[in-house]
Amino acid sequence: MAAKYERAADDLRAKILAGIEGFEPGARLPSETQLADAYNISVPTMREAIRVLRLEGLIIAKQGVGSFVRSERRRIRRSADRYQWEKDRVREPEDVRKTTGATEKDTGFELPELEFHAVFEEVPADAQIAKDFGVAEGTPMLRRLYRTQSRNEDAPVSLVTSYLVYDVVAQNPDLLDASREPWPGGTQHQLSTVGVEVDSIEDVITTRPPTQQESDQLGINPVGVAVFVLRKTSVDTTGRVVEVSYVVLPGDRTEFVYQTKLKRWEWE
Amino acid sequence: MAAKYERAADDLRAKILAGIEGFEPGARLPSETQLADAYNISVPTMREAIRVLRLEGLIIAKQGVGSFVRSERRRIRRSADRYQWEKDRVREPEDVRKTTGATEKDTGFELPELEFHAVFEEVPADAQIAKDFGVAEGTPMLRRLYRTQSRNEDAPVSLVTSYLVYDVVAQNPDLLDASREPWPGGTQHQLSTVGVEVDSIEDVITTRPPTQQESDQLGINPVGVAVFVLRKTSVDTTGRVVEVSYVVLPGDRTEFVYQTKLKRWEWE
DNA sequence: GAGTGGTCTAGACCACTGT
DNA sequence: CAGTGGTCTAGACCACTCC
């Protein structure tokens, strides 16, 4: 026989998915005590049932207020088209570049809506980074931390840690100055000022549970929501890795899109 | 002040991440009672701390045995290269095609290791599918359910739901016969028998918590592990959507790789 | 202040695993 | 069989939100 908390969870889930009166998205659920009474189980057991549905992302609890049926979140689309688009803009005049950046392109937000944090630091390459770049461990790297989030309260977008080889970018001192961010035209343009042309970009996508810090920063309220980790590796025309960035995105508000064109058959 | 269960969780987490003697990957933790004593908290509170770490994927509990520090799972790489590779094989002779399929290419498993389930069904297009294909709701579709998993115990790989327009594939009755799976050469080859050449494929990747059924089928033991959902849309050379498949993959054992080649600048 | 969810306790019994 | 984690109870107090 199924556990009591499971039966309660199953029943509640069914009500929510069916959208029954009082259980539609956004609706406020009865209190834990009331629910426990309704299912003839103790409050802790009812809490366990609710926890299951929170893990599934169906319910959000707000302390002091109540529990609510979660409404569907709009996903932000992140397309690989952004890379070619960014490259094309490198050779546009500055006033064109200034208008928007790639993040704004994906999110649909306008520039002024985005709060932009940047912290720059010179750090030695650890084992992972050394491997990513194919350089010796300890090689000086420029590490840049970005946090982009909407100024209108609760819509943080991504946490970015970007690595560049220090000696490469140091040729242009402006690139070492965090206060110059956001740089009009993005990373590809920054690299172009030190003679680097990006030739290809590899994205590797994984998912994992968020750390506590990431939950806070990305505003991941519900338990059980994962984050995407995108490792983006840029290779220049000489085959050298020029940038590696790790981008953490909220799993419930992001989707990735990739287009693969196939070669046509030649019919004889 | 932080909650007791949080302090216990923080301490345990730190021990595990530091790999301290007795807390390295695979190690068996002290029992809940022992841990509760050690931290001077009640057993339910200690269980709460353990639950936190299970959510983070650091600990796996086995009833009747004990709790263990989770060892890192090897991720299976799923690269978009598979699509061109699959297309190239369509025009190879049958004995070459028979050797391996695209799933085996990605996973590294040999064919005989893969258990292959297939269920075929004719269903009317629901709203989502009608939109995916750009056809009228109710259009007859062929729905195919696949479940690929290793015969050696606990390594299921993916759950696939694939849709095709029924009238298109019905031209070749073999395509309607589930007992013919696995079809040597894959879906692109199947489509080629009814005169369809796939021209481009769009992948859309999202992540969400698994359903109970998916947890069971994919062998997702630890709480808090998400699944990837890949929606793959194949478009033929006439611009028509010919296949849509939804692939569910375990989030802790999968990674996606996409390469984006950029156009070279023309220097004057 | 009333009502909500968050934390915590001290028990109890059961289901499962290994020996 | 002994020991483990899984479920469950009946309370208690606290932190938070809203009126």
Short mmCIF file of all heavy atoms in Angstrom, two decimals, chain A residues 6 30 66 69 74 83 88 105 110 114 116-117 148 169 174 212 223 241 254:
data_model
loop_
_atom_site.label_atom_id
_atom_site.label_comp_id
_atom_site.label_asym_id
_atom_site.label_seq_id
_atom_site.Cartn_x
_atom_site.Cartn_y
_atom_site.Cartn_z
N GLU A 6 2.05 9.82 0.23
CA GLU A 6 2.01 9.67 -1.23
C GLU A 6 0.58 9.73 -1.75
O GLU A 6 0.33 10.32 -2.80
CB GLU A 6 2.64 8.33 -1.64
CG GLU A 6 4.13 8.43 -1.83
CD GLU A 6 4.73 7.08 -2.23
OE1 GLU A 6 4.00 6.09 -2.29
OE2 GLU A 6 5.95 7.04 -2.47
N PRO A 30 -5.47 25.41 0.72
CA PRO A 30 -5.85 25.42 2.13
C PRO A 30 -4.59 25.28 2.99
O PRO A 30 -3.57 24.79 2.52
CB PRO A 30 -6.72 24.16 2.27
CG PRO A 30 -7.20 23.86 0.90
CD PRO A 30 -6.13 24.35 -0.04
N GLY A 66 1.13 31.38 2.82
CA GLY A 66 0.39 30.20 2.39
C GLY A 66 1.12 29.48 1.29
O GLY A 66 2.22 29.86 0.90
N VAL A 69 -0.41 27.17 -5.91
CA VAL A 69 -0.17 26.40 -7.12
C VAL A 69 0.70 27.25 -8.03
O VAL A 69 0.41 28.41 -8.27
CB VAL A 69 -1.48 26.04 -7.85
CG1 VAL A 69 -1.19 25.26 -9.12
CG2 VAL A 69 -2.39 25.25 -6.92
N ARG A 74 7.57 31.64 -17.97
CA ARG A 74 7.98 31.83 -19.36
C ARG A 74 9.47 31.51 -19.46
O ARG A 74 10.26 31.98 -18.65
CB ARG A 74 7.72 33.28 -19.78
CG ARG A 74 7.79 33.48 -21.29
CD ARG A 74 7.41 34.90 -21.67
NE ARG A 74 8.54 35.59 -22.29
CZ ARG A 74 9.40 36.36 -21.63
NH1 ARG A 74 9.27 36.54 -20.34
NH2 ARG A 74 10.39 36.96 -22.27
N TYR A 83 25.75 33.83 -31.51
CA TYR A 83 27.19 33.88 -31.71
C TYR A 83 27.55 34.54 -33.05
O TYR A 83 28.43 35.40 -33.11
CB TYR A 83 27.80 32.48 -31.62
CG TYR A 83 27.60 31.82 -30.27
CD1 TYR A 83 27.29 30.47 -30.18
CD2 TYR A 83 27.70 32.55 -29.09
CE1 TYR A 83 27.10 29.85 -28.94
CE2 TYR A 83 27.51 31.96 -27.85
CZ TYR A 83 27.22 30.61 -27.78
OH TYR A 83 27.03 30.01 -26.57
N ASP A 88 29.01 39.40 -36.29
CA ASP A 88 28.70 40.36 -37.33
C ASP A 88 28.77 41.79 -36.81
O ASP A 88 29.18 42.71 -37.50
CB ASP A 88 27.29 40.10 -37.90
CG ASP A 88 27.24 38.79 -38.68
OD1 ASP A 88 28.32 38.27 -39.05
OD2 ASP A 88 26.13 38.29 -38.92
N LYS A 105 19.47 40.58 -26.51
CA LYS A 105 18.88 39.95 -27.68
C LYS A 105 18.08 38.72 -27.27
O LYS A 105 16.96 38.49 -27.72
CB LYS A 105 19.98 39.55 -28.66
CG LYS A 105 19.49 38.72 -29.84
CD LYS A 105 20.63 38.43 -30.81
CE LYS A 105 20.13 37.72 -32.06
NZ LYS A 105 19.59 36.39 -31.79
N GLU A 110 15.33 45.44 -22.58
CA GLU A 110 16.13 46.53 -23.12
C GLU A 110 17.33 46.76 -22.20
O GLU A 110 17.29 46.43 -21.02
CB GLU A 110 15.28 47.81 -23.20
CG GLU A 110 14.12 47.70 -24.17
CD GLU A 110 14.58 47.43 -25.60
OE1 GLU A 110 15.60 48.01 -26.01
OE2 GLU A 110 13.92 46.65 -26.29
N LEU A 114 18.63 46.21 -17.46
CA LEU A 114 19.54 45.21 -16.94
C LEU A 114 20.57 45.82 -15.99
O LEU A 114 21.30 46.73 -16.35
CB LEU A 114 20.27 44.50 -18.08
CG LEU A 114 19.43 43.50 -18.86
CD1 LEU A 114 20.20 43.00 -20.08
CD2 LEU A 114 19.03 42.33 -17.98
N PHE A 116 24.00 45.40 -14.21
CA PHE A 116 25.15 44.67 -14.70
C PHE A 116 26.28 44.73 -13.68
O PHE A 116 26.79 45.81 -13.39
CB PHE A 116 25.61 45.27 -16.03
CG PHE A 116 26.27 44.28 -16.93
CD1 PHE A 116 25.51 43.53 -17.82
CD2 PHE A 116 27.64 44.08 -16.88
CE1 PHE A 116 26.09 42.62 -18.65
CE2 PHE A 116 28.24 43.15 -17.70
CZ PHE A 116 27.47 42.42 -18.60
N HIS A 117 26.63 43.61 -13.14
CA HIS A 117 27.74 43.55 -12.19
C HIS A 117 28.93 42.90 -12.85
O HIS A 117 28.79 41.92 -13.55
CB HIS A 117 27.36 42.72 -10.97
CG HIS A 117 26.56 43.48 -9.98
ND1 HIS A 117 27.12 44.09 -8.89
CD2 HIS A 117 25.23 43.73 -9.93
CE1 HIS A 117 26.16 44.68 -8.20
NE2 HIS A 117 25.00 44.48 -8.80
N THR A 148 23.91 39.27 -14.42
CA THR A 148 22.95 40.12 -15.12
C THR A 148 21.58 39.86 -14.54
O THR A 148 21.16 38.72 -14.40
CB THR A 148 22.92 39.81 -16.62
OG1 THR A 148 22.51 38.46 -16.81
CG2 THR A 148 24.29 39.97 -17.23
N VAL A 169 44.96 39.38 -23.37
CA VAL A 169 44.13 40.58 -23.28
C VAL A 169 44.86 41.78 -22.72
O VAL A 169 44.45 42.93 -22.94
CB VAL A 169 42.85 40.31 -22.44
CG1 VAL A 169 41.90 39.41 -23.20
CG2 VAL A 169 43.20 39.71 -21.10
N ASP A 174 42.44 48.52 -21.61
CA ASP A 174 41.01 48.77 -21.37
C ASP A 174 40.29 47.47 -21.02
O ASP A 174 39.28 47.47 -20.31
CB ASP A 174 40.36 49.35 -22.63
CG ASP A 174 40.67 50.84 -22.75
OD1 ASP A 174 41.29 51.39 -21.82
OD2 ASP A 174 40.30 51.43 -23.78
N GLN A 212 23.43 26.71 -2.64
CA GLN A 212 22.60 27.64 -1.87
C GLN A 212 22.72 29.05 -2.44
O GLN A 212 21.74 29.74 -2.66
CB GLN A 212 23.03 27.61 -0.41
CG GLN A 212 22.16 28.47 0.50
CD GLN A 212 20.71 28.02 0.46
OE1 GLN A 212 20.42 26.86 0.68
NE2 GLN A 212 19.79 28.93 0.15
N VAL A 223 11.82 24.41 -4.24
CA VAL A 223 12.80 23.36 -4.08
C VAL A 223 12.77 22.50 -5.35
O VAL A 223 11.78 22.47 -6.04
CB VAL A 223 12.43 22.46 -2.87
CG1 VAL A 223 13.66 21.90 -2.23
CG2 VAL A 223 11.61 23.22 -1.87
N VAL A 241 42.33 28.14 -28.05
CA VAL A 241 41.20 28.47 -27.19
C VAL A 241 41.42 29.86 -26.61
O VAL A 241 42.43 30.12 -25.97
CB VAL A 241 41.04 27.45 -26.04
CG1 VAL A 241 39.96 27.91 -25.05
CG2 VAL A 241 40.71 26.08 -26.59
N THR A 254 14.76 28.72 -18.62
CA THR A 254 15.69 28.77 -19.74
C THR A 254 15.43 27.63 -20.71
O THR A 254 15.04 26.55 -20.31
CB THR A 254 17.14 28.64 -19.21
OG1 THR A 254 17.35 29.56 -18.15
CG2 THR A 254 18.14 28.89 -20.32
#
